[in-house]
Amino acid sequence: MNYKLVITLLILLSFNANAQISEKQVDELVENTLKNFNVPGIAVAIVKDGKVVLAKGYGVKSILTKEKVDSNTLFGIASNSKAFTTAALAMLVDEGKLKWDDKVTQYLPEFKMYNEYVTNEFTIRDLLTHRSGLGLGAGDLMIWPDGSDFKATDIIHNLQYLKPVSAFRTKYDYDNLLYIVAGEVIQKVSGQTWCDFIEERIMKPLEMNNSAASYLRLKDTTNIIAPHVPTDGKLKIISRYKNHTFDAAAGIYSSVNDLSKWMIMQLQNGKYGSEKQNQLFSKKEQDEMWSLQTIIPANTRPPYNTHFSGYGLGWFLSDVKGYKQVTHTGGLEGIVTQTTLFPELNLGIVVLTNQQSGAAFTAITNTIKDSYLGIPYANYVEIYSKREKDNIAEADKTTTEVWSSISKNQKEKLKIDLKKYEGFYIDNWFGRIEISEKKGKLFFKSIRSPKLTGEIFFYKDNTFVVKWDNRSFNADAFLFFELDETGKLDTIKMKPISELTDFSYDFQDLDFVRVRE
């Protein structure tokens, strides 16, 4: 055996597994991403072996001000906030104040799901693992888009009206509302609001000094991004999402400098400080957060060869090229982000963007992690850019066909008795909407979510389409008017037109019944 050759190969393998992408390469990667995905600004951080390798901003905070993004620029991290919620619960578990498998009703007696058995068996763990039986994003219209008047108490009360789509604990379907409930549990047990707990018990010890648990709690907003959304072919700045109710699921504002401290603590099993002398939560509870709770079907193919995938407590978990990957993404209107950890490599990557192209942050994250995993270079910017364009083109084909039919109807001047569709309709959890006729046109207005307003157009039979006044929603929807046994209009069901509509516009979960007064 040629021992020199063996040693040389081992050295090369070791080097490949720990190869570090250079700052210049990251610069080129991000600049290319900004251009190809039409993203104004991005911030990136890499931590390795307890140190910050890179923390840098690129592009601009706003297409209007043209101010540059830097490593302290604040972004809404959206659902990356969920890991902070589970960390807070882990701290309370360490303190003996609750257990993961305690029943929710032990702390919130008013908590009630659609099924009595599910209500009685629902645990703290179930709040965090997306296996409740509810459908994808069920009930999110109470918090999405911004501007509704639903509070946490309303959400807890209305959960009982959301019909399950699968059996309890049998299937993964991502949800947001149950993290809001988890935030209420934290307040009940700790005596502090979720925001106070996150800021005082997590951010302050980690010296995340520029961050806040909610946009409304930021002390300084001079260095913050504006959210951008492609709207009618142009990139536009939109109003910032500010709903306090959503905080425990998606409220945090932070920077790559501050999130580097969060990632280093995570990679040090909850320890922090110059000598790792302090402990935020125990390794035992971190292992619990990083253990599979809900199975997600895995996609086993090169280059990552992922065999197992699932959700832990506030984190997505999978095997990637033989290593454990711990990750999460986040999305608000006009902002998307990603945090990725490889505990065995002591590696963390965070990418924050001020536009809502998930392909952009994925291209950056995958390129960086491939360099550490020893995977040959792939041009993810090109690959994902083409994929995104193809997906948009396919979705546009569907919406174009619908609007072409509507335009044809208008040219033919079909006579439709719009008056018969007028009235108030109510859904058990979403509340009332009003359908009104004005000057020969039909309009939709939500009472509790006032930004959901728009003109209604006839499509075919008793099917109409609502075109939202706010075009940045990209969420126009079908309205299906249904008749009762006497032939009178009685109910409305809805469904997004485009497959690319954000899942939080869960129109398909609505079941409106006409209010007869």
Side-chain angles (χ1 to χ4, degrees):
M1 180 181 287
N2 188 332
Y3 289 102
K4 284 186 178 180
L5 178 61
V6 171
I7 291 168
T8 302
L9 286 170
L10 287 173
I11 290 170
L12 286 171
L13 287 170
S14 174
F15 173 77
N16 285 338
N18 293 282
Q20 178 180 317
I21 189 169
S22 70
E23 183 173 341
K24 183 183 177 184
Q25 288 172 315
V26 174
D27 293 348
E28 291 173 355
L29 167 66
V30 180
E31 293 296 340
N32 199 16
T33 302
L34 291 169
K35 183 173 68 175
N36 277 271
F37 295 97
N38 198 16
V39 180
I42 293 175
V44 178
I46 305 170
V47 300
K48 182 78 169 75
D49 300 327
K51 295 178 181 178
V52 179
V53 173
L54 179 142
K56 200 169 181 180
Y58 302 85
V60 297
K61 294 182 275 189
S62 160
I63 56 175
L64 293 181
T65 68
K66 307 292 186 182
E67 292 176 338
K68 300 291 185 183
V69 175
D70 61 39
S71 58
N72 286 314
T73 300
L74 296 165
F75 294 72
I77 69 169
S79 285
N80 283 293
S81 304
K82 288 179 169 69
F84 285 77
T85 295
T86 57
L89 288 164
M91 294 162 72
L92 293 171
V93 171
D94 278 332
E95 293 167 10
K97 293 182 178 176
L98 58 74
K99 298 183 180 67
W100 296 113
D101 294 311
D102 285 347
K103 302 294 192 292
V104 176
T105 52
Q106 180 180 335
Y107 303 98
L108 302 173
E110 67 276 23
F111 175 81
K112 190 175 182 181
M113 297 294 282
Y114 190 80
N115 179 284
E116 185 179 358
Y117 168 80
V118 174
T119 299
N120 294 335
E121 293 300 312
F122 219 92
T123 63
I124 305 298
R125 189 187 305 274
D126 292 322
L127 292 174
L128 313 170
T129 48
H130 309 297
R131 62 186 191 187
S132 65
L134 297 177
L136 175 64
D140 275 4
L141 280 169
M142 287 186 275
I143 51 172
W144 192 269
D146 195 11
S148 73
D149 66 358
F150 292 92
K151 305 302 179 191
T153 50
D154 297 314
I155 288 167
I156 292 171
H157 178 267
N158 288 344
L159 284 170
Q160 64 188 296
Y161 302 121
L162 292 169
K163 297 176 183 178
V165 299
S166 60
F168 183 40
R169 294 178 183 154
T170 62
K171 182 176 177 290
Y172 167 84
D173 270 307
Y174 191 85
D175 74 73
N176 286 305
L177 300 189
L178 294 172
Y179 268 82
I180 295 172
V181 179
E184 294 300 295
V185 171
I186 290 169
Q187 179 169 342
K188 189 81 170 185
V189 174
S190 70
Q192 291 182 289
T193 65
W194 180 87
C195 286
D196 284 342
F197 191 104
I198 298 303
E199 291 177 3
E200 293 177 21
R201 300 286 307 277
I202 297 178
M203 291 178 175
K204 187 175 180 180
L206 295 181
E207 298 182 4
M208 298 174 67
N209 298 326
N210 295 319
S211 303
S214 172
Y215 171 78
L216 299 174
R217 294 169 67 101
L218 286 170
K219 297 179 178 67
D220 184 355
T221 57
T222 56
N223 190 1
I224 193 168
I225 58 93
H228 299 77
V229 175
T231 307
D232 294 333
K234 291 184 179 180
L235 197 62
K236 293 185 179 179
I237 292 175
I238 62 164
S239 299
R240 187 183 310 281
Y241 189 97
K242 299 178 183 177
N243 190 346
H244 235 325
T245 303
F246 204 17
D247 287 346
I252 291 173
Y253 265 74
S254 192
S255 65
V256 291
N257 270 349
D258 279 357
L259 289 169
S260 294
K261 299 168 185 176
W262 164 252
M263 290 194 295
I264 289 171
M265 178 276 296
Q266 289 280 347
L267 292 165
Q268 292 175 167
N269 298 314
K271 292 181 180 178
Y272 65 97
S274 56
E275 304 296 326
K276 303 182 188 176
Q277 68 273 27
N278 303 311
Q279 190 95 31
L280 200 68
F281 46 73
S282 67
K283 184 179 185 304
K284 176 178 180 292
E285 297 313 326
Q286 184 176 61
D287 288 344
E288 193 71 23
M289 288 186 278
W290 286 2
S291 295
L292 284 180
Q293 309 286 332
T294 304
I295 295 170
I296 301 173
N299 190 354
T300 308
R301 67 183 182 194
Y304 298 130
N305 300 322
T306 296
H307 304 95
F308 307 103
S309 179
Y311 201 85
L313 303 176
W315 294 98
F316 289 97
L317 306 166
S318 57
D319 70 303
V320 172
K321 207 66 176 175
Y323 292 95
K324 185 174 191 173
Q325 177 178 263
V326 181
T327 187
H328 215 288
T329 59
L332 290 172
E333 295 166 320
I335 310 171
V336 291
T337 60
Q338 184 174 38
T339 307
T340 306
L341 304 170
F342 284 90
E344 293 145 309
L345 294 176
N346 207 355
L347 170 69
I349 307 161
V350 62
V351 183
L352 311 177
T353 83
N354 62 356
Q355 205 255 66
Q356 54 191 42
S357 170
F361 66 60
T362 305
I364 294 170
T365 298
N366 286 0
T367 304
I368 294 171
K369 78 186 187 188
D370 283 7
S371 77
Y372 285 91
L373 293 168
I375 294 173
Y377 172 78
N379 191 338
Y380 288 116
V381 173
E382 184 179 294
I383 294 166
Y384 294 147
S385 179
K386 182 182 183 305
R387 189 178 300 172
E388 184 178 73
K389 286 171 184 170
D390 289 346
N391 289 339
I392 291 170
E394 189 64 29
D396 284 350
K397 192 191 302 182
T398 302
T399 56
T400 298
E401 287 173 359
V402 170
W403 287 110
S404 293
S405 294
I406 290 170
S407 179
K408 183 182 176 186
N409 292 337
Q410 290 176 321
K411 286 177 183 176
E412 292 178 357
K413 296 182 179 180
L414 299 177
K415 289 187 177 181
I416 301 161
D417 181 11
L418 299 180
K419 286 284 184 185
K420 72 176 184 178
Y421 297 94
E422 276 194 308
F424 287 94
Y425 298 77
I426 192 166
D427 175 83
N428 282 337
W429 58 269
F430 188 65
R432 289 191 179 209
I433 61 167
E434 181 184 10
I435 306 295
S436 59
E437 185 272 335
K438 296 171 188 174
K439 297 181 179 178
K441 294 181 179 181
L442 212 54
F443 295 91
F444 181 110
K445 181 174 79 171
S446 166
I447 306 303
R448 300 199 66 176
S449 186
K451 288 187 180 179
L452 284 178
T453 60
E455 186 176 352
I456 298 172
F457 297 86
F458 173 72
Y459 179 48
K460 61 183 177 181
D461 301 323
N462 279 320
T463 300
F464 289 71
V465 167
V466 58
K467 182 178 184 179
W468 304 116
D469 294 336
N470 188 328
R471 302 310 299 146
S472 69
F473 290 167
N474 295 316
D476 295 339
F478 290 113
L479 285 87
F480 307 103
F481 289 86
E482 299 181 357
L483 308 177
D484 65 13
E485 65 280 0
T486 66
K488 292 182 179 178
L489 288 165
D490 189 52
T491 64
I492 303 174
K493 295 188 185 300
M494 295 181 69
K495 175 187 165 185
I497 298 173
S498 172
E499 291 182 2
L500 296 183
T501 297
D502 190 285
F503 68 77
S504 286
Y505 291 103
D506 63 315
F507 299 121
Q508 69 279 359
D509 294 321
L510 296 167
D511 192 4
F512 290 108
V513 176
R514 190 166 201 149
V515 178
R516 303 194 183 278
E517 297 173 327

